[in-house]
Amino acid sequence: MTKPANLGSSPMVSRDSGGSLVEQIVRSVACRIDDKLLRTGSRMPSIRQFADEQKVSRFTVVEAYDRLVANGYLESRRGSGFFVRERASLLNNLSPVTQPLPTSQQPDVVWLIRNMFRQLPPQKMPGSGLLPHEWLDGELVANGLRSISRLNQNLLLHYGTQQGFLPLRQQLQLKLAELEIAASPEQIVTTNGVTQALDLVASEFTQPGDTIFVDDPAWFLMFGTFATLGAKVIGIPRLHDGPDVAKLAELAALHKPKLYIIHSVLHNPTSTSLSAAKAFQVLKTAEQHDFMIVEDDVYCDMHPGSAVQPATRLAALDQLNRVIYLGGFSKTLAANLRVGFIATSHQNAIRFSDRKMLSTLTTNEICERVVHKILSEGHYRKHVDRIRSKLDTARHEVTSRVEKMGMQVEYRTPAGMFLWVETGTDTIALTEKALEKGILIAPGSLFSPHQLPSTHMRINVAAMGDEGVWKFLENELR
Amino acid sequence: MTKPANLGSSPMVSRDSGGSLVEQIVRSVACRIDDKLLRTGSRMPSIRQFADEQKVSRFTVVEAYDRLVANGYLESRRGSGFFVRERASLLNNLSPVTQPLPTSQQPDVVWLIRNMFRQLPPQKMPGSGLLPHEWLDGELVANGLRSISRLNQNLLLHYGTQQGFLPLRQQLQLKLAELEIAASPEQIVTTNGVTQALDLVASEFTQPGDTIFVDDPAWFLMFGTFATLGAKVIGIPRLHDGPDVAKLAELAALHKPKLYIIHSVLHNPTSTSLSAAKAFQVLKTAEQHDFMIVEDDVYCDMHPGSAVQPATRLAALDQLNRVIYLGGFSKTLAANLRVGFIATSHQNAIRFSDRKMLSTLTTNEICERVVHKILSEGHYRKHVDRIRSKLDTARHEVTSRVEKMGMQVEYRTPAGMFLWVETGTDTIALTEKALEKGILIAPGSLFSPHQLPSTHMRINVAAMGDEGVWKFLENELR
């Protein structure tokens, strides 16, 4: 057997320096290997010997050696000990060929969405669709995770149930009942956010070549989703109280759509809500031309109630016959949890649930348990109350400053996180300039179902706290 | 203001009884409302009054009232207090109409998969595709969740990055390097399990009407996935050392497939692995007929190494040019985490990542962090070592008992969790009888790309600990 490698006489650990003893050993050994002080292939001291020399417990050495193996620094050979491995060569000798990628010159949907996920500082993202961290309650989510980690561990190991975690669906039944929408847990299917919900519904209800109606403007990501399904997307002009219903009827007669995707309350990007009269007309048109309505209510919990802005849900009128209702918690809890849901007829629920199974098997029950815990413990209501009240202040301040700059806020709604702003200039050009300065703007053409040029942009009132962003806008839009 | 409801004089809480004080109050009040002892619409005592009467802190009462609101028992009216709500009527007056569903008479793919998610006792599921709880390590997962919950909470709130959590992709780079597959983190995309990976790859590489090759037999869920995409699925006979390559070439010339999905090691359901010679021939055929290979390596960590069974990965030969490599942790860590991945060329990675974004936005970074922590801390290797060694024992015992019963184990491989067993009888009929007794069997026809009748069944050697299951089989197969 070869002589073990010489680690030098200096101690590797110190009770005073940072990190656990295991971490200190891992760091020291890894550095010595990276610096070639330990030769590839040489044998490490035995666990016992290392422990004695460094005056640490054997358990500590076992832990440290295990981590070094997991990170490619050591190799464990059964019965003969641990050997130094050339980590750099493990990775580098296999040199992957990465071609340079064509970069899109013109901002398009995919371009903007990719930028949405770039690690820009959140205060530099007035175009973001999320609330800033400090508006949310990380402690709620962290507490949820901690309490799930203390459950019977068997619950963590296996698949979730096909339709989603039952107690969460029961809690959603209550939430829906308060909106006057009757849905038993069997009528609810959980999804990986509203994005998956839209994908499942559109996959199930359309064939390539079919037409899907959306609002114009509308949430841009779904244009891409529907395009991958081969569907034709047509926009219905959105007014202050809902869609242009005359146009809706005219286009429905012409295009025979299969689906109409609509935000009834706090429409993205205009923050408008549907009046009761418009809601009724939309349903009548859907019946007449026999299309389904997908009511995306992801901004539900930001809505201040019918005393402030209309709050008619299409599903409350129709009771999930022709309306498929979508909701989620990405906006008010944490986008990272990826918990959304579909409420629909029992038969549709089975169809969506089977399709979910075929595309992603089950959704993540761990995160569904976290959301269930947060909803059932009652802190959620106060949390969204606080968000709404902060939004009111921010909307007021941002509106007045935007208007002082000479821009026009369309609709001036009394609720929601978005302002739909007429800038008087092409906002794609503005977006390109902003990105050079590390600022993310959401230009109007992205929200156009046909990406038409636009002088509008969407502003997130919660993300306008940065003077640099204001300066940029003032400079460009003078 | 109305007089507050009378809660009776008996104390609602006791320091000795079970549950926290908050839980005790919630239970007591909820019972009184369910039993109509508290009238709908009546006002609850103020928080202060309730706290004084029950000798608990006001904080406790606030918590309890919040939970009662969240669960539909109370309503909070700003400035005037809490009022009893008729929860039953909230739910029941809105009576959802649920039609009885047509039940499938004949077991099909969807039927079996639904049953896989039924809450049957795990020991009654010899047809299950997962290891039993007690073979896995819930503590590993629970520890991971706890440590994630202690992170900077901002990390929990926002979306994950589009391609997946970077440190996890770096760890996967190492894992792949050990298999001699060179993949930079940019070439890796995380997915919601291998199921989503297959859906993304097939969506991106096929049009409706295109042909996809699979092994015959093969993992059944993907047949459904590909059917929803409109693809034609054709099976290539699987032999003891890989596919029948003559047949592969013949069918490729005939059908011009776009993809061939293959398990190179520990094929499900036969537990066979690809010989080096066959691997080479498969790649040559793919090149000649210009189709892509999707190498599903979800059983990777159950493989004992090339000394015991061949372990050639197609991606190690081809270096991710024509081969798209899939992996995941549902089998060895926890299905519930839903963490899988795709390794492919950089350009394909961008395509898959964009498509993932359009169908589910991002994957769950919380669970990706858990998997990263487990992999990088080095406990994972010992955990899978233990699984392999337990599988060896179980496989040996189950094989000899199955053969004593007169059934034939095909291939008798020295590795893996599945036995592919010739029963001599129609296994669909057997499955129906088993289900009447609450036992889940995986009949051969499910693994047939065309659901042909079969006398085979797949046995999970880790799930054969129940004497009732053995008795049933002995009884039926005598």
Side-chain angles (χ1 to χ4, degrees), chain B residues 101 154 187 191 222 236:
Chain B
L101 290 169
N154 288 347
Q187 293 178 263
T191 57
M222 64 179 169
I236 309 298

Side-chain angles (χ1 to χ4, degrees), chain A residues 9 29 61 82 91 159 176 235 245 296 303 347 360 420 440 474:
Chain A
S9 57
V29 173
V61 183
F82 291 85
L91 292 180
Y159 291 115
L176 291 170
V245 287
D296 174 356
H303 193 274
Q347 286 203 303
T360 60
W420 185 236
L440 181 81
E474 277 158 5

Side-chain angles (χ1 to χ4, degrees), chain A residues 63 66 70 113-114 119 139 146 149 153 157-158 161 171 187 192 225 335-336 354 358 360 379 382, chain B residues 63 66 70 114 119 139 146 149 153 156-158 161 171 192 225 335-336 354 357-358 360 379 382:
Chain A
E63 284 278 308
D66 277 350
I113 301 168
R114 280 193 198 139
Q119 307 298 322
E139 192 54 33
R146 268 193 295 275
S149 77
Q153 290 163 0
L157 297 173
H158 271 206
T161 42
Q171 196 70 37
Q187 292 178 265
N192 193 73
T225 307
N336 213 340
D354 282 348
L358 295 176
T360 60
H379 301 283
K382 288 185 178 168
Chain B
E63 285 277 311
D66 278 351
R114 281 193 198 141
Q119 307 299 323
E139 193 54 32
R146 267 193 295 276
S149 76
Q153 289 164 359
L156 301 177
L157 296 173
H158 270 208
T161 42
Q171 196 71 38
N192 193 73
T225 307
N336 213 340
D354 282 348
M357 184 174 71
L358 295 177
T360 60
H379 301 284
K382 288 187 178 168

Side-chain angles (χ1 to χ4, degrees), chain B residues 96-294:
Chain B
V97 189
T98 52
Q99 295 96 354
L101 290 169
T103 50
S104 153
Q105 291 305 310
Q106 173 74 359
D108 62 6
V109 173
V110 167
W111 175 89
L112 184 91
I113 302 166
R114 281 193 198 141
N115 276 302
M116 289 274 178
F117 292 102
R118 289 214 322 195
Q119 307 299 323
L120 288 177
Q123 70 274 19
K124 298 291 188 192
M125 295 180 70
S128 161
L130 295 179
L131 292 173
H133 296 139
E134 60 274 19
W135 286 54
L136 298 172
D137 188 345
E139 193 54 32
L140 266 183
V141 180
N143 269 337
L145 283 173
R146 267 193 295 276
S147 83
I148 304 308
S149 76
R150 286 188 296 259
L151 288 176
N152 175 342
Q153 289 164 359
N154 288 347
L155 299 174
L156 301 177
L157 296 173
H158 270 208
Y159 291 114
T161 42
Q162 195 192 330
Q163 273 195 237
F165 186 51
L166 180 60
L168 173 61
R169 288 185 286 126
Q170 288 164 334
Q171 196 71 38
L172 292 173
Q173 177 183 20
L174 264 175
K175 182 182 164 72
L176 291 171
E178 290 180 6
L179 299 171
E180 289 185 75
I181 301 165
S184 69
E186 293 71 37
Q187 293 178 263
I188 299 172
V189 181
T190 61
T191 57
N192 193 73
V194 166
T195 309
Q196 188 183 26
L198 281 166
D199 187 41
L200 293 174
V201 173
S203 303
E204 200 54 43
F205 276 92
T206 65
Q207 298 292 325
D210 282 348
T211 296
I212 299 179
F213 281 2
V214 297
D215 290 323
D216 181 4
W219 181 51
F220 45 80
L221 192 121
M222 64 179 169
F223 306 153
T225 307
F226 300 154
T228 66
L229 299 175
K232 201 165 78 183
V233 174
I234 288 178
I236 309 298
R238 178 92 184 190
L239 310 175
H240 73 283
D241 59 349
D244 178 336
V245 286
K247 198 85 190 159
L248 174 64
E250 180 195 321
L251 290 171
L254 198 63
H255 295 283
K256 313 221 168 303
K258 288 292 189 335
L259 299 173
Y260 176 21
I261 322 292
I262 182 170
H263 278 146
S264 41
V265 309
L266 297 181
H267 169 250
N268 175 7
T270 65
S271 293
T272 58
S273 294
L274 203 59
S275 69
K278 281 271 168 96
F280 181 61
Q281 287 175 289
V282 167
L283 282 171
K284 277 205 307 189
T285 310
E287 206 142 300
Q288 195 186 336
H289 297 280
D290 195 23
F291 57 85
M292 298 289 288
I293 292 174
V294 180

